[in-house]
mmCIF file of all heavy atoms in Angstrom:
data_model
loop_
_atom_site.group_PDB
_atom_site.id
_atom_site.type_symbol
_atom_site.label_atom_id
_atom_site.label_comp_id
_atom_site.label_asym_id
_atom_site.label_seq_id
_atom_site.Cartn_x
_atom_site.Cartn_y
_atom_site.Cartn_z
ATOM 1 N N MET A 1 4.995 -0.400 16.059
ATOM 2 C CA MET A 1 4.030 0.659 15.748
ATOM 3 C C MET A 1 2.984 0.117 14.773
ATOM 4 O O MET A 1 3.313 -0.472 13.760
ATOM 5 C CB MET A 1 4.766 1.841 15.119
ATOM 6 C CG MET A 1 3.863 3.058 14.933
ATOM 7 S SD MET A 1 4.812 4.453 14.317
ATOM 8 C CE MET A 1 3.477 5.610 14.037
ATOM 9 N N ALA A 2 1.719 0.341 15.075
ATOM 10 C CA ALA A 2 0.654 -0.175 14.219
ATOM 11 C C ALA A 2 -0.334 0.931 13.908
ATOM 12 O O ALA A 2 -0.491 1.893 14.656
ATOM 13 C CB ALA A 2 -0.054 -1.330 14.900
ATOM 14 N N THR A 3 -1.021 0.789 12.777
ATOM 15 C CA THR A 3 -2.028 1.766 12.389
ATOM 16 C C THR A 3 -3.138 1.058 11.615
ATOM 17 O O THR A 3 -3.042 -0.128 11.335
ATOM 18 C CB THR A 3 -1.396 2.894 11.554
ATOM 19 O OG1 THR A 3 -2.357 3.909 11.344
ATOM 20 C CG2 THR A 3 -0.902 2.371 10.224
ATOM 21 N N ASP A 4 -4.192 1.793 11.240
ATOM 22 C CA ASP A 4 -5.319 1.171 10.558
ATOM 23 C C ASP A 4 -5.291 1.483 9.060
ATOM 24 O O ASP A 4 -5.008 2.613 8.658
ATOM 25 C CB ASP A 4 -6.640 1.685 11.146
ATOM 26 C CG ASP A 4 -6.816 1.298 12.597
ATOM 27 O OD1 ASP A 4 -6.229 0.278 12.995
ATOM 28 O OD2 ASP A 4 -7.526 2.012 13.320
ATOM 29 N N CYS A 5 -5.646 0.487 8.260
ATOM 30 C CA CYS A 5 -5.723 0.679 6.814
ATOM 31 C C CYS A 5 -6.903 1.595 6.484
ATOM 32 O O CYS A 5 -7.998 1.422 7.024
ATOM 33 C CB CYS A 5 -5.893 -0.679 6.136
ATOM 34 S SG CYS A 5 -6.202 -0.553 4.366
ATOM 35 N N ASP A 6 -6.696 2.575 5.598
ATOM 36 C CA ASP A 6 -7.755 3.508 5.222
ATOM 37 C C ASP A 6 -8.858 2.845 4.405
ATOM 38 O O ASP A 6 -9.966 3.346 4.312
ATOM 39 C CB ASP A 6 -7.165 4.667 4.408
ATOM 40 C CG ASP A 6 -6.592 5.754 5.310
ATOM 41 O OD1 ASP A 6 -6.757 5.630 6.542
ATOM 42 O OD2 ASP A 6 -5.987 6.702 4.806
ATOM 43 N N VAL A 7 -8.564 1.710 3.798
ATOM 44 C CA VAL A 7 -9.550 1.046 2.948
ATOM 45 C C VAL A 7 -10.347 0.004 3.726
ATOM 46 O O VAL A 7 -11.565 0.069 3.802
ATOM 47 C CB VAL A 7 -8.875 0.387 1.732
ATOM 48 C CG1 VAL A 7 -9.879 -0.453 0.944
ATOM 49 C CG2 VAL A 7 -8.274 1.469 0.828
ATOM 50 N N CYS A 8 -9.665 -0.962 4.333
ATOM 51 C CA CYS A 8 -10.372 -2.073 4.967
ATOM 52 C C CYS A 8 -10.411 -1.943 6.479
ATOM 53 O O CYS A 8 -11.125 -2.682 7.144
ATOM 54 C CB CYS A 8 -9.756 -3.401 4.552
ATOM 55 S SG CYS A 8 -8.052 -3.614 5.073
ATOM 56 N N GLY A 9 -9.661 -1.001 7.040
ATOM 57 C CA GLY A 9 -9.715 -0.773 8.465
ATOM 58 C C GLY A 9 -8.956 -1.776 9.319
ATOM 59 O O GLY A 9 -9.004 -1.710 10.539
ATOM 60 N N VAL A 10 -8.282 -2.687 8.674
ATOM 61 C CA VAL A 10 -7.542 -3.690 9.422
ATOM 62 C C VAL A 10 -6.324 -3.046 10.088
ATOM 63 O O VAL A 10 -5.748 -2.091 9.554
ATOM 64 C CB VAL A 10 -7.108 -4.855 8.490
ATOM 65 C CG1 VAL A 10 -5.880 -4.490 7.666
ATOM 66 C CG2 VAL A 10 -6.840 -6.102 9.314
ATOM 67 N N ARG A 11 -5.997 -3.538 11.259
ATOM 68 C CA ARG A 11 -4.829 -3.013 11.961
ATOM 69 C C ARG A 11 -3.587 -3.742 11.477
ATOM 70 O O ARG A 11 -3.559 -4.956 11.436
ATOM 71 C CB ARG A 11 -5.015 -3.226 13.468
ATOM 72 C CG ARG A 11 -3.864 -2.674 14.280
ATOM 73 C CD ARG A 11 -4.348 -2.219 15.635
ATOM 74 N NE ARG A 11 -5.140 -0.999 15.521
ATOM 75 C CZ ARG A 11 -4.810 0.141 16.142
ATOM 76 N NH1 ARG A 11 -3.767 0.190 16.907
ATOM 77 N NH2 ARG A 11 -5.564 1.196 16.010
ATOM 78 N N PHE A 12 -2.588 -2.990 11.055
ATOM 79 C CA PHE A 12 -1.390 -3.635 10.537
ATOM 80 C C PHE A 12 -0.143 -2.924 11.023
ATOM 81 O O PHE A 12 -0.193 -1.770 11.455
ATOM 82 C CB PHE A 12 -1.429 -3.656 8.998
ATOM 83 C CG PHE A 12 -1.309 -2.277 8.381
ATOM 84 C CD1 PHE A 12 -0.072 -1.809 7.952
ATOM 85 C CD2 PHE A 12 -2.418 -1.471 8.257
ATOM 86 C CE1 PHE A 12 0.047 -0.535 7.390
ATOM 87 C CE2 PHE A 12 -2.311 -0.195 7.704
ATOM 88 C CZ PHE A 12 -1.082 0.265 7.276
ATOM 89 N N ASP A 13 0.957 -3.614 10.905
ATOM 90 C CA ASP A 13 2.236 -3.049 11.272
ATOM 91 C C ASP A 13 2.763 -2.198 10.126
ATOM 92 O O ASP A 13 2.675 -2.584 8.968
ATOM 93 C CB ASP A 13 3.218 -4.189 11.571
ATOM 94 C CG ASP A 13 4.401 -3.688 12.370
ATOM 95 O OD1 ASP A 13 5.100 -2.774 11.874
ATOM 96 O OD2 ASP A 13 4.619 -4.192 13.471
ATOM 97 N N LEU A 14 3.290 -1.033 10.420
ATOM 98 C CA LEU A 14 3.771 -0.133 9.375
ATOM 99 C C LEU A 14 4.902 -0.742 8.544
ATOM 100 O O LEU A 14 5.178 -0.295 7.436
ATOM 101 C CB LEU A 14 4.245 1.187 9.992
ATOM 102 C CG LEU A 14 3.135 2.212 10.250
ATOM 103 C CD1 LEU A 14 3.706 3.443 10.922
ATOM 104 C CD2 LEU A 14 2.442 2.614 8.949
ATOM 105 N N VAL A 15 5.514 -1.773 9.068
ATOM 106 C CA VAL A 15 6.582 -2.425 8.311
ATOM 107 C C VAL A 15 6.018 -3.170 7.108
ATOM 108 O O VAL A 15 6.622 -3.234 6.046
ATOM 109 C CB VAL A 15 7.363 -3.397 9.226
ATOM 110 C CG1 VAL A 15 8.392 -4.175 8.427
ATOM 111 C CG2 VAL A 15 8.032 -2.623 10.352
ATOM 112 N N SER A 16 4.797 -3.710 7.253
ATOM 113 C CA SER A 16 4.228 -4.502 6.162
ATOM 114 C C SER A 16 3.449 -3.646 5.173
ATOM 115 O O SER A 16 3.384 -3.951 3.998
ATOM 116 C CB SER A 16 3.333 -5.607 6.730
ATOM 117 O OG SER A 16 2.289 -5.037 7.475
ATOM 118 N N GLY A 17 2.829 -2.570 5.637
ATOM 119 C CA GLY A 17 2.087 -1.696 4.739
ATOM 120 C C GLY A 17 2.829 -0.386 4.550
ATOM 121 O O GLY A 17 4.047 -0.345 4.603
ATOM 122 N N GLY A 18 2.084 0.694 4.320
ATOM 123 C CA GLY A 18 2.740 1.979 4.156
ATOM 124 C C GLY A 18 1.801 3.028 3.607
ATOM 125 O O GLY A 18 0.589 2.842 3.575
ATOM 126 N N VAL A 19 2.387 4.144 3.142
ATOM 127 C CA VAL A 19 1.604 5.253 2.612
ATOM 128 C C VAL A 19 1.755 5.306 1.093
ATOM 129 O O VAL A 19 2.852 5.229 0.574
ATOM 130 C CB VAL A 19 2.082 6.588 3.227
ATOM 131 C CG1 VAL A 19 1.253 7.745 2.683
ATOM 132 C CG2 VAL A 19 2.013 6.535 4.739
ATOM 133 N N CYS A 20 0.625 5.441 0.398
ATOM 134 C CA CYS A 20 0.659 5.590 -1.059
ATOM 135 C C CYS A 20 1.221 6.965 -1.388
ATOM 136 O O CYS A 20 0.758 7.973 -0.843
ATOM 137 C CB CYS A 20 -0.744 5.431 -1.628
ATOM 138 S SG CYS A 20 -0.851 5.860 -3.382
ATOM 139 N N THR A 21 2.187 7.027 -2.279
ATOM 140 C CA THR A 21 2.802 8.313 -2.615
ATOM 141 C C THR A 21 1.867 9.168 -3.466
ATOM 142 O O THR A 21 2.095 10.351 -3.636
ATOM 143 C CB THR A 21 4.127 8.099 -3.376
ATOM 144 O OG1 THR A 21 3.885 7.286 -4.509
ATOM 145 C CG2 THR A 21 5.154 7.453 -2.481
ATOM 146 N N ARG A 22 0.810 8.573 -4.019
ATOM 147 C CA ARG A 22 -0.087 9.332 -4.881
ATOM 148 C C ARG A 22 -1.310 9.862 -4.136
ATOM 149 O O ARG A 22 -1.614 11.046 -4.185
ATOM 150 C CB ARG A 22 -0.529 8.469 -6.060
ATOM 151 C CG ARG A 22 -0.582 9.293 -7.342
ATOM 152 C CD ARG A 22 -0.982 8.462 -8.525
ATOM 153 N NE ARG A 22 0.145 7.722 -9.077
ATOM 154 C CZ ARG A 22 0.059 7.021 -10.213
ATOM 155 N NH1 ARG A 22 -1.058 6.960 -10.874
ATOM 156 N NH2 ARG A 22 1.101 6.382 -10.648
ATOM 157 N N CYS A 23 -2.034 8.991 -3.427
ATOM 158 C CA CYS A 23 -3.251 9.445 -2.754
ATOM 159 C C CYS A 23 -3.019 9.698 -1.275
ATOM 160 O O CYS A 23 -3.907 10.159 -0.576
ATOM 161 C CB CYS A 23 -4.377 8.432 -2.960
ATOM 162 S SG CYS A 23 -4.093 6.822 -2.191
ATOM 163 N N LYS A 24 -1.819 9.373 -0.778
ATOM 164 C CA LYS A 24 -1.428 9.635 0.610
ATOM 165 C C LYS A 24 -2.245 8.848 1.629
ATOM 166 O O LYS A 24 -2.283 9.197 2.803
ATOM 167 C CB LYS A 24 -1.547 11.137 0.952
ATOM 168 C CG LYS A 24 -0.852 12.039 -0.043
ATOM 169 C CD LYS A 24 0.651 11.848 -0.001
ATOM 170 C CE LYS A 24 1.316 12.849 -0.950
ATOM 171 N NZ LYS A 24 2.687 12.443 -1.277
ATOM 172 N N LYS A 25 -2.940 7.813 1.172
ATOM 173 C CA LYS A 25 -3.675 6.971 2.110
ATOM 174 C C LYS A 25 -2.717 6.033 2.810
ATOM 175 O O LYS A 25 -1.713 5.610 2.234
ATOM 176 C CB LYS A 25 -4.727 6.153 1.355
ATOM 177 C CG LYS A 25 -5.985 6.936 1.057
ATOM 178 C CD LYS A 25 -6.972 6.047 0.318
ATOM 179 C CE LYS A 25 -8.187 6.837 -0.110
ATOM 180 N NZ LYS A 25 -8.920 6.149 -1.188
ATOM 181 N N ILE A 26 -3.064 5.722 4.053
ATOM 182 C CA ILE A 26 -2.292 4.739 4.805
ATOM 183 C C ILE A 26 -2.942 3.386 4.568
ATOM 184 O O ILE A 26 -4.134 3.210 4.857
ATOM 185 C CB ILE A 26 -2.288 5.084 6.302
ATOM 186 C CG1 ILE A 26 -1.687 6.475 6.501
ATOM 187 C CG2 ILE A 26 -1.516 4.034 7.090
ATOM 188 C CD1 ILE A 26 -1.933 7.041 7.893
ATOM 189 N N LEU A 27 -2.178 2.457 4.024
ATOM 190 C CA LEU A 27 -2.776 1.206 3.577
ATOM 191 C C LEU A 27 -1.999 -0.011 4.045
ATOM 192 O O LEU A 27 -0.767 0.018 4.150
ATOM 193 C CB LEU A 27 -2.845 1.204 2.048
ATOM 194 C CG LEU A 27 -3.670 2.348 1.432
ATOM 195 C CD1 LEU A 27 -3.325 2.512 -0.037
ATOM 196 C CD2 LEU A 27 -5.150 2.101 1.613
ATOM 197 N N CYS A 28 -2.775 -1.096 4.281
ATOM 198 C CA CYS A 28 -2.153 -2.367 4.628
ATOM 199 C C CYS A 28 -1.456 -2.934 3.389
ATOM 200 O O CYS A 28 -1.667 -2.453 2.276
ATOM 201 C CB CYS A 28 -3.207 -3.349 5.153
ATOM 202 S SG CYS A 28 -4.399 -3.903 3.906
ATOM 203 N N ALA A 29 -0.666 -3.953 3.583
ATOM 204 C CA ALA A 29 0.115 -4.514 2.480
ATOM 205 C C ALA A 29 -0.779 -4.960 1.331
ATOM 206 O O ALA A 29 -0.427 -4.818 0.169
ATOM 207 C CB ALA A 29 0.943 -5.700 2.980
ATOM 208 N N ARG A 30 -1.954 -5.465 1.658
ATOM 209 C CA ARG A 30 -2.849 -5.978 0.626
ATOM 210 C C ARG A 30 -3.364 -4.845 -0.263
ATOM 211 O O ARG A 30 -3.485 -4.994 -1.471
ATOM 212 C CB ARG A 30 -4.018 -6.709 1.284
ATOM 213 C CG ARG A 30 -4.506 -7.876 0.452
ATOM 214 C CD ARG A 30 -5.630 -8.627 1.167
ATOM 215 N NE ARG A 30 -6.889 -8.359 0.524
ATOM 216 C CZ ARG A 30 -8.039 -8.129 1.173
ATOM 217 N NH1 ARG A 30 -8.051 -8.133 2.482
ATOM 218 N NH2 ARG A 30 -9.137 -7.904 0.532
ATOM 219 N N HIS A 31 -3.685 -3.706 0.334
ATOM 220 C CA HIS A 31 -4.230 -2.612 -0.455
ATOM 221 C C HIS A 31 -3.156 -1.688 -1.032
ATOM 222 O O HIS A 31 -3.407 -0.969 -1.995
ATOM 223 C CB HIS A 31 -5.231 -1.825 0.396
ATOM 224 C CG HIS A 31 -6.505 -2.578 0.618
ATOM 225 N ND1 HIS A 31 -6.845 -3.125 1.828
ATOM 226 C CD2 HIS A 31 -7.484 -2.905 -0.259
ATOM 227 C CE1 HIS A 31 -8.011 -3.753 1.691
ATOM 228 N NE2 HIS A 31 -8.407 -3.636 0.436
ATOM 229 N N LEU A 32 -1.993 -1.697 -0.427
ATOM 230 C CA LEU A 32 -0.919 -0.874 -0.970
ATOM 231 C C LEU A 32 -0.201 -1.591 -2.110
ATOM 232 O O LEU A 32 -0.006 -1.031 -3.183
ATOM 233 C CB LEU A 32 0.083 -0.521 0.132
ATOM 234 C CG LEU A 32 1.228 0.405 -0.302
ATOM 235 C CD1 LEU A 32 0.692 1.760 -0.726
ATOM 236 C CD2 LEU A 32 2.234 0.571 0.818
ATOM 237 N N HIS A 33 0.138 -2.846 -1.891
ATOM 238 C CA HIS A 33 0.934 -3.578 -2.877
ATOM 239 C C HIS A 33 0.093 -4.537 -3.710
ATOM 240 O O HIS A 33 0.335 -4.684 -4.902
ATOM 241 C CB HIS A 33 2.030 -4.373 -2.167
ATOM 242 C CG HIS A 33 2.901 -3.521 -1.306
ATOM 243 N ND1 HIS A 33 3.584 -2.427 -1.791
ATOM 244 C CD2 HIS A 33 3.193 -3.579 0.013
ATOM 245 C CE1 HIS A 33 4.265 -1.870 -0.799
ATOM 246 N NE2 HIS A 33 4.041 -2.531 0.296
ATOM 247 N N GLY A 34 -0.855 -5.220 -3.104
ATOM 248 C CA GLY A 34 -1.711 -6.142 -3.840
ATOM 249 C C GLY A 34 -1.083 -7.511 -4.050
ATOM 250 O O GLY A 34 -1.773 -8.507 -4.005
ATOM 251 N N SER A 35 0.204 -7.549 -4.279
ATOM 252 C CA SER A 35 0.850 -8.829 -4.509
ATOM 253 C C SER A 35 2.228 -8.839 -3.877
ATOM 254 O O SER A 35 2.826 -7.787 -3.632
ATOM 255 C CB SER A 35 0.983 -9.110 -6.009
ATOM 256 O OG SER A 35 1.931 -8.233 -6.582
ATOM 257 N N PHE A 36 2.710 -10.046 -3.637
ATOM 258 C CA PHE A 36 4.031 -10.182 -3.038
ATOM 259 C C PHE A 36 5.106 -9.617 -3.969
ATOM 260 O O PHE A 36 6.058 -8.984 -3.539
ATOM 261 C CB PHE A 36 4.300 -11.656 -2.739
ATOM 262 C CG PHE A 36 5.685 -11.895 -2.201
ATOM 263 C CD1 PHE A 36 5.960 -11.614 -0.867
ATOM 264 C CD2 PHE A 36 6.685 -12.380 -3.011
ATOM 265 C CE1 PHE A 36 7.234 -11.820 -0.359
ATOM 266 C CE2 PHE A 36 7.963 -12.585 -2.511
ATOM 267 C CZ PHE A 36 8.237 -12.310 -1.188
ATOM 268 N N PHE A 37 4.918 -9.836 -5.257
ATOM 269 C CA PHE A 37 5.898 -9.373 -6.236
ATOM 270 C C PHE A 37 6.015 -7.853 -6.220
ATOM 271 O O PHE A 37 7.101 -7.289 -6.250
ATOM 272 C CB PHE A 37 5.490 -9.860 -7.633
ATOM 273 C CG PHE A 37 6.413 -9.355 -8.713
ATOM 274 C CD1 PHE A 37 7.727 -9.808 -8.785
ATOM 275 C CD2 PHE A 37 5.974 -8.439 -9.651
ATOM 276 C CE1 PHE A 37 8.581 -9.347 -9.773
ATOM 277 C CE2 PHE A 37 6.824 -7.969 -10.653
ATOM 278 C CZ PHE A 37 8.133 -8.426 -10.717
ATOM 279 N N ARG A 38 4.860 -7.197 -6.178
ATOM 280 C CA ARG A 38 4.851 -5.734 -6.158
ATOM 281 C C ARG A 38 5.536 -5.208 -4.893
ATOM 282 O O ARG A 38 6.262 -4.227 -4.911
ATOM 283 C CB ARG A 38 3.396 -5.255 -6.225
ATOM 284 C CG ARG A 38 3.255 -3.736 -6.248
ATOM 285 C CD ARG A 38 3.765 -3.124 -7.547
ATOM 286 N NE ARG A 38 4.173 -1.746 -7.304
ATOM 287 C CZ ARG A 38 4.675 -0.931 -8.228
ATOM 288 N NH1 ARG A 38 4.833 -1.353 -9.453
ATOM 289 N NH2 ARG A 38 5.028 0.292 -7.922
ATOM 290 N N ARG A 39 5.263 -5.892 -3.795
ATOM 291 C CA ARG A 39 5.874 -5.475 -2.540
ATOM 292 C C ARG A 39 7.394 -5.584 -2.615
ATOM 293 O O ARG A 39 8.136 -4.762 -2.091
ATOM 294 C CB ARG A 39 5.348 -6.357 -1.409
ATOM 295 C CG ARG A 39 6.028 -5.951 -0.133
ATOM 296 C CD ARG A 39 5.449 -6.483 1.121
ATOM 297 N NE ARG A 39 6.372 -6.084 2.182
ATOM 298 C CZ ARG A 39 6.510 -6.726 3.323
ATOM 299 N NH1 ARG A 39 5.760 -7.755 3.549
ATOM 300 N NH2 ARG A 39 7.351 -6.317 4.206
ATOM 301 N N LEU A 40 7.830 -6.612 -3.313
ATOM 302 C CA LEU A 40 9.264 -6.826 -3.488
ATOM 303 C C LEU A 40 9.878 -5.641 -4.233
ATOM 304 O O LEU A 40 10.943 -5.147 -3.884
ATOM 305 C CB LEU A 40 9.469 -8.121 -4.289
ATOM 306 C CG LEU A 40 10.743 -8.900 -4.003
ATOM 307 C CD1 LEU A 40 10.752 -9.392 -2.558
ATOM 308 C CD2 LEU A 40 10.846 -10.075 -4.949
ATOM 309 N N LEU A 41 9.188 -5.164 -5.267
ATOM 310 C CA LEU A 41 9.683 -4.022 -6.045
ATOM 311 C C LEU A 41 9.815 -2.779 -5.168
ATOM 312 O O LEU A 41 10.775 -2.019 -5.274
ATOM 313 C CB LEU A 41 8.731 -3.731 -7.211
ATOM 314 C CG LEU A 41 8.679 -4.779 -8.320
ATOM 315 C CD1 LEU A 41 7.709 -4.334 -9.407
ATOM 316 C CD2 LEU A 41 10.058 -5.014 -8.920
ATOM 317 N N VAL A 42 8.821 -2.576 -4.302
ATOM 318 C CA VAL A 42 8.862 -1.420 -3.414
ATOM 319 C C VAL A 42 10.028 -1.556 -2.436
ATOM 320 O O VAL A 42 10.736 -0.596 -2.151
ATOM 321 C CB VAL A 42 7.526 -1.261 -2.667
ATOM 322 C CG1 VAL A 42 7.628 -0.165 -1.607
ATOM 323 C CG2 VAL A 42 6.409 -0.909 -3.658
ATOM 324 N N ASP A 43 10.238 -2.777 -1.968
ATOM 325 C CA ASP A 43 11.370 -3.025 -1.080
ATOM 326 C C ASP A 43 12.677 -2.701 -1.785
ATOM 327 O O ASP A 43 13.655 -2.294 -1.175
ATOM 328 C CB ASP A 43 11.383 -4.489 -0.636
ATOM 329 C CG ASP A 43 10.408 -4.726 0.505
ATOM 330 O OD1 ASP A 43 9.935 -3.730 1.093
ATOM 331 O OD2 ASP A 43 10.121 -5.879 0.804
ATOM 332 N N LEU A 44 12.687 -2.878 -3.096
ATOM 333 C CA LEU A 44 13.896 -2.639 -3.870
ATOM 334 C C LEU A 44 14.035 -1.185 -4.313
ATOM 335 O O LEU A 44 14.956 -0.828 -5.019
ATOM 336 C CB LEU A 44 13.908 -3.555 -5.102
ATOM 337 C CG LEU A 44 14.067 -5.044 -4.773
ATOM 338 C CD1 LEU A 44 13.893 -5.882 -6.031
ATOM 339 C CD2 LEU A 44 15.417 -5.336 -4.144
ATOM 340 N N GLY A 45 13.044 -0.347 -3.953
ATOM 341 C CA GLY A 45 13.181 1.072 -4.234
ATOM 342 C C GLY A 45 12.132 1.664 -5.159
ATOM 343 O O GLY A 45 12.153 2.850 -5.437
ATOM 344 N N ALA A 46 11.183 0.844 -5.644
ATOM 345 C CA ALA A 46 10.118 1.382 -6.488
ATOM 346 C C ALA A 46 9.188 2.239 -5.638
ATOM 347 O O ALA A 46 9.033 1.992 -4.440
ATOM 348 C CB ALA A 46 9.331 0.234 -7.127
ATOM 349 N N PRO A 47 8.562 3.272 -6.221
ATOM 350 C CA PRO A 47 7.644 4.116 -5.457
ATOM 351 C C PRO A 47 6.428 3.310 -5.012
ATOM 352 O O PRO A 47 5.905 2.505 -5.787
ATOM 353 C CB PRO A 47 7.254 5.226 -6.434
ATOM 354 C CG PRO A 47 7.527 4.666 -7.789
ATOM 355 C CD PRO A 47 8.671 3.706 -7.627
ATOM 356 N N SER A 48 5.980 3.539 -3.765
ATOM 357 C CA SER A 48 4.823 2.802 -3.280
ATOM 358 C C SER A 48 3.549 3.502 -3.713
ATOM 359 O O SER A 48 3.153 4.513 -3.143
ATOM 360 C CB SER A 48 4.891 2.643 -1.752
ATOM 361 O OG SER A 48 5.176 3.879 -1.142
ATOM 362 N N VAL A 49 2.940 2.969 -4.775
ATOM 363 C CA VAL A 49 1.667 3.472 -5.276
ATOM 364 C C VAL A 49 0.649 2.360 -5.075
ATOM 365 O O VAL A 49 0.889 1.220 -5.453
ATOM 366 C CB VAL A 49 1.774 3.853 -6.770
ATOM 367 C CG1 VAL A 49 0.429 4.310 -7.304
ATOM 368 C CG2 VAL A 49 2.827 4.933 -6.963
ATOM 369 N N CYS A 50 -0.482 2.707 -4.458
ATOM 370 C CA CYS A 50 -1.427 1.668 -4.056
ATOM 371 C C CYS A 50 -2.136 1.023 -5.250
ATOM 372 O O CYS A 50 -2.115 1.525 -6.370
ATOM 373 C CB CYS A 50 -2.452 2.231 -3.075
ATOM 374 S SG CYS A 50 -3.675 3.317 -3.827
ATOM 375 N N VAL A 51 -2.788 -0.095 -4.980
ATOM 376 C CA VAL A 51 -3.478 -0.866 -6.010
ATOM 377 C C VAL A 51 -4.509 -0.001 -6.725
ATOM 378 O O VAL A 51 -4.603 0.004 -7.947
ATOM 379 C CB VAL A 51 -4.164 -2.087 -5.372
ATOM 380 C CG1 VAL A 51 -4.965 -2.857 -6.422
ATOM 381 C CG2 VAL A 51 -3.127 -2.996 -4.730
ATOM 382 N N ALA A 52 -5.280 0.770 -5.983
ATOM 383 C CA ALA A 52 -6.341 1.588 -6.567
ATOM 384 C C ALA A 52 -5.765 2.656 -7.490
ATOM 385 O O ALA A 52 -6.284 2.895 -8.576
ATOM 386 C CB ALA A 52 -7.165 2.224 -5.466
ATOM 387 N N CYS A 53 -4.692 3.319 -7.076
ATOM 388 C CA CYS A 53 -4.090 4.359 -7.899
ATOM 389 C C CYS A 53 -3.497 3.772 -9.168
ATOM 390 O O CYS A 53 -3.552 4.378 -10.231
ATOM 391 C CB CYS A 53 -2.995 5.083 -7.118
ATOM 392 S SG CYS A 53 -3.641 6.209 -5.879
ATOM 393 N N ARG A 54 -2.943 2.579 -9.079
ATOM 394 C CA ARG A 54 -2.338 1.962 -10.241
ATOM 395 C C ARG A 54 -3.390 1.542 -11.254
ATOM 396 O O ARG A 54 -3.171 1.584 -12.455
ATOM 397 C CB ARG A 54 -1.474 0.769 -9.828
ATOM 398 C CG ARG A 54 -0.063 1.184 -9.461
ATOM 399 C CD ARG A 54 0.792 -0.012 -9.134
ATOM 400 N NE ARG A 54 0.546 -0.470 -7.763
ATOM 401 C CZ ARG A 54 0.320 -1.747 -7.458
ATOM 402 N NH1 ARG A 54 0.301 -2.663 -8.370
ATOM 403 N NH2 ARG A 54 0.110 -2.075 -6.210
ATOM 404 N N SER A 55 -4.547 1.111 -10.777
ATOM 405 C CA SER A 55 -5.565 0.607 -11.691
ATOM 406 C C SER A 55 -6.562 1.681 -12.118
ATOM 407 O O SER A 55 -7.004 1.712 -13.251
ATOM 408 C CB SER A 55 -6.322 -0.555 -11.040
ATOM 409 O OG SER A 55 -6.980 -0.092 -9.887
ATOM 410 N N GLY A 56 -6.931 2.582 -11.214
ATOM 411 C CA GLY A 56 -7.989 3.541 -11.548
ATOM 412 C C GLY A 56 -7.574 4.992 -11.503
ATOM 413 O O GLY A 56 -8.390 5.868 -11.692
ATOM 414 N N GLY A 57 -6.314 5.286 -11.233
ATOM 415 C CA GLY A 57 -5.856 6.659 -11.219
ATOM 416 C C GLY A 57 -6.571 7.487 -10.159
ATOM 417 O O GLY A 57 -6.671 7.075 -9.006
ATOM 418 N N ALA A 58 -7.117 8.637 -10.542
ATOM 419 C CA ALA A 58 -7.672 9.593 -9.600
ATOM 420 C C ALA A 58 -8.970 9.097 -8.956
ATOM 421 O O ALA A 58 -9.382 9.602 -7.918
ATOM 422 C CB ALA A 58 -7.930 10.918 -10.291
ATOM 423 N N ARG A 59 -9.613 8.093 -9.565
ATOM 424 C CA ARG A 59 -10.873 7.615 -9.021
ATOM 425 C C ARG A 59 -10.705 6.859 -7.717
ATOM 426 O O ARG A 59 -11.675 6.567 -7.045
ATOM 427 C CB ARG A 59 -11.571 6.724 -10.046
ATOM 428 C CG ARG A 59 -12.352 7.536 -11.071
ATOM 429 C CD ARG A 59 -13.065 6.603 -12.034
ATOM 430 N NE ARG A 59 -12.119 5.749 -12.756
ATOM 431 C CZ ARG A 59 -12.256 4.437 -12.865
ATOM 432 N NH1 ARG A 59 -13.247 3.842 -12.314
ATOM 433 N NH2 ARG A 59 -11.379 3.726 -13.529
ATOM 434 N N ALA A 60 -9.503 6.530 -7.376
ATOM 435 C CA ALA A 60 -9.258 5.752 -6.170
ATOM 436 C C ALA A 60 -9.763 6.525 -4.966
ATOM 437 O O ALA A 60 -10.201 5.916 -4.003
ATOM 438 C CB ALA A 60 -7.773 5.463 -6.026
HETATM 439 ZN ZN1 LIG X 1 -6.400 -2.791 3.702
HETATM 440 ZN ZN1 LIG X 2 -3.085 5.493 -3.782
#
């Protein structure tokens, strides 16, 4: 199953990206996690909050 990133429009597999729990955008791994380390945390159970929400809050 594949979908498009709301930010960059790239087509990605839902396994690699996901939905931000804060802004509800569907995002590719790059825009949701930003880094491999962050993605690892989400894999381990951390809430998936996208790069924009983490850095700019509501302005994302
Ligand atoms: Zn993207
Ligand atoms: Zn977000």
Side-chain angles (χ1 to χ4, degrees):
M1 188 175 174
T3 188
D4 296 334
C5 173
D6 276 355
V7 173
C8 63
V10 79
R11 182 150 288 239
F12 68 96
D13 198 301
L14 276 177
V15 175
S16 60
V19 181
C20 171
T21 55
R22 219 179 278 187
C23 65
K24 309 293 184 198
K25 279 180 185 161
I26 301 167
L27 300 162
C28 68
R30 213 177 107 222
H31 288 108
L32 183 64
H33 304 304
S35 70
F36 176 78
F37 177 68
R38 182 69 206 179
R39 178 167 173 206
L40 210 63
L41 292 181
V42 173
D43 279 347
L44 292 173
S48 48
V49 177
C50 73
V51 176
C53 285
R54 274 183 280 132
S55 62
R59 277 182 300 131

